[in-house]
Amino acid sequence: MAGRQQALRLGFDLTPGMRVGLYGGSFNPAHEGHAHVAETARRRLQLDRVIWLVSPQNPLKTNHHETASLAERLAGARRFARGRSMIVSDAETRIGSQYTIDIVRDLKARFPGVHFVWIMGADSLASFHRWRGWTQIMAEVPVAVVSRPWISLKSRSSPAAQRFAGARVPIEQAKLVPTAKPPRWVFLTGPLNFQSSTLLRERMRRRGS
C-alpha cells in the first residue's frame, strides 16, 4: 500500500528489478536532441523506463527570465518522450528539491530494488564537477553519458571524467551498467543529433524581434 501511495504521489510506478534511467534537465525547450539522448540510453543500456525529470529551475543557470513555465516545459517534453517506456515527471517539484543528489537519494529510498542509472548528455559531463554533490552522485548510481555535437572530446577530458577514469566501463559492456555497483559510468558514442535548447531559444528570439 505504501508503495502504491508513493507512485500516486509522484505520478509513476516502479517495481523491484526494473532498470530505470533518470534523465534530468530544464528542457527549455525540449527537442529531438533530448529524445536522441533518452532513446540511445534506453536502447544501449536495455532500460525498462526512462524518466525525464523536468526541473523547476536549473541552479547553475542565471537566465531565469528565459526559462519557460514548468507546465510549458513538461508539455514540451511530452511531445518528444515517445513510447510507453518514456515517462515525463515533475518529481523534483513534488519532492521539493532542485539538486540531483537529493532526487537520486529520494527515489532510491522510495523504490528499493529498482536499478537506477543517471543519464546525461556529454555537454553536462563537461560541467558535472560544478554540480552540488557530484562525487556523491557518482557514488549513489551508475551514470551513462551520451555523445553530443562539439563537446564530446572536451567532456571526456573534463574534471569528472578524469576523477573517475578508473570507473569507466567499456562501451561493449554498456548493458551491465544499470546493475553495476557505483561508481561506474559509460560514454555512449554513435550518430549525433545537432539540435540544442540554446539554438532553439535564439531562433525564437529572432522570430520575436
Side-chain angles (χ1 to χ4, degrees):
M1 184 64 180
R4 191 63 180 168
Q5 290 175 340
Q6 297 280 25
L8 290 173
R9 197 171 298 133
L10 294 181
F12 55 82
D13 194 9
L14 305 174
T15 57
M18 275 188 170
R19 301 156 63 96
V20 178
L22 301 175
Y23 183 28
S26 300
F27 302 106
N28 183 46
H31 53 72
E32 286 289 353
H34 293 130
H36 172 75
V37 169
E39 180 58 25
T40 298
R42 185 201 65 78
R43 181 170 42 83
R44 302 284 286 277
L45 275 60
Q46 299 181 6
L47 301 175
D48 298 299
R49 300 284 188 277
V50 175
I51 302 176
W52 297 43
L53 295 168
V54 183
S55 65
Q57 176 61 56
N58 187 330
L60 290 181
K61 294 184 178 179
T62 56
N63 56 339
H64 295 177
H65 63 284
E66 294 186 356
T67 303
S69 70
L70 179 61
E72 290 177 282
R73 291 181 288 116
L74 284 166
R78 290 187 181 105
R79 286 196 292 272
F80 291 96
R82 307 180 186 98
R84 295 179 61 185
S85 60
M86 298 288 174
I87 300 170
V88 175
S89 173
D90 61 349
E92 290 187 14
T93 299
R94 294 179 186 232
I95 290 170
S97 176
Q98 60 181 335
Y99 294 105
T100 298
I101 184 60
D102 296 332
I103 192 74
V104 165
R105 286 173 172 167
D106 191 286
L107 291 176
K108 285 180 64 179
R110 289 173 189 258
F111 299 103
V114 172
H115 302 292
F116 288 111
V117 54
W118 187 261
I119 299 169
M120 68 171 78
D123 46 342
S124 293
L125 178 63
S127 61
F128 189 46
H129 59 287
R130 296 173 56 204
W131 294 23
R132 175 180 288 190
W134 65 280
T135 57
Q136 288 92 337
I137 295 169
M138 293 291 287
E140 289 284 349
V141 287
V143 173
V145 181
V146 179
S147 59
R148 292 285 289 146
W150 306 299
I151 195 73
S152 289
L153 184 60
K154 180 181 178 181
S155 68
R156 281 181 282 189
S157 60
S158 66
Q162 293 183 42
R163 171 78 174 267
F164 290 97
R168 184 174 172 182
V169 175
I171 193 171
E172 297 80 12
Q173 299 177 20
K175 66 180 181 180
L176 304 178
V177 168
T179 56
K181 181 178 173 57
R184 287 289 184 272
W185 67 285
V186 64
F187 195 99
L188 302 174
T189 56
L192 298 175
N193 185 292
F194 286 82
Q195 282 206 15
S196 79
S197 294
T198 301
L199 292 177
L200 288 175
R201 288 196 300 273
E202 179 62 28
R203 195 176 303 161
M204 287 187 286
R205 276 196 296 269
R206 289 176 179 175
R207 287 176 181 172
S209 61

